[in-house]
Amino acid sequence: MLSLTIVVLAAAAAGFIVWANDKRHAKYGAGVPAGVSVAVAALAWIILMAAGFGYLPGRTWIPWVLPIVLGAASATAAAIYLGRSRARQDTQRLTTILRA
């Protein structure tokens, strides 16, 4: 259970770091990338532990490292997608307002 706690905390930190480094982070909330990262990391940890990777000699690092990497990657993907789509929607709305 300690490994899950560490994975969740590291994934949340990775999500907040991704949010802070995104130039369009004002378009969505700070908790979105962190939440996506934590959800993916926790799910990956559960799957890896259920598959038995936590108890294989020489492979016990997999449930510690892989969920954090997957969480950070998913936070990055969410930030890129949300930043672009929200910026595009805001531009369309502003154009509509200015034309009226």
Side-chain angles (χ1 to χ4, degrees), residues 1-4 7 40-50 63-64 67:
M1 206 46 96
L2 175 66
S3 64
L4 177 61
V7 164
V40 169
L43 185 61
W45 183 87
I46 290 169
I47 290 170
L48 288 170
M49 292 304 280
W64 287 77

Side-chain angles (χ1 to χ4, degrees), residues 1-94:
M1 206 46 96
L2 175 66
S3 64
L4 177 61
T5 304
I6 292 171
V7 164
V8 165
L9 290 173
F16 284 121
I17 290 170
V18 166
W19 177 83
N21 287 319
D22 187 15
K23 63 182 177 182
R24 297 185 194 112
H25 69 260
K27 302 292 182 189
Y28 53 88
V32 173
V36 169
S37 179
V38 166
V40 169
L43 185 61
W45 183 87
I46 290 169
I47 290 170
L48 288 170
M49 292 304 280
F53 281 99
Y55 307 107
L56 295 175
R59 303 206 193 287
T60 56
W61 61 271
I62 293 175
W64 287 77
V65 175
L66 188 61
I68 298 169
V69 172
L70 291 174
S74 64
T76 304
I80 289 171
Y81 173 74
L82 286 176
R84 287 181 184 170
S85 67
R86 295 276 176 107
R88 186 180 64 248
Q89 290 171 2
D90 288 349
T91 303
Q92 289 174 349
R93 288 181 188 147
L94 184 61

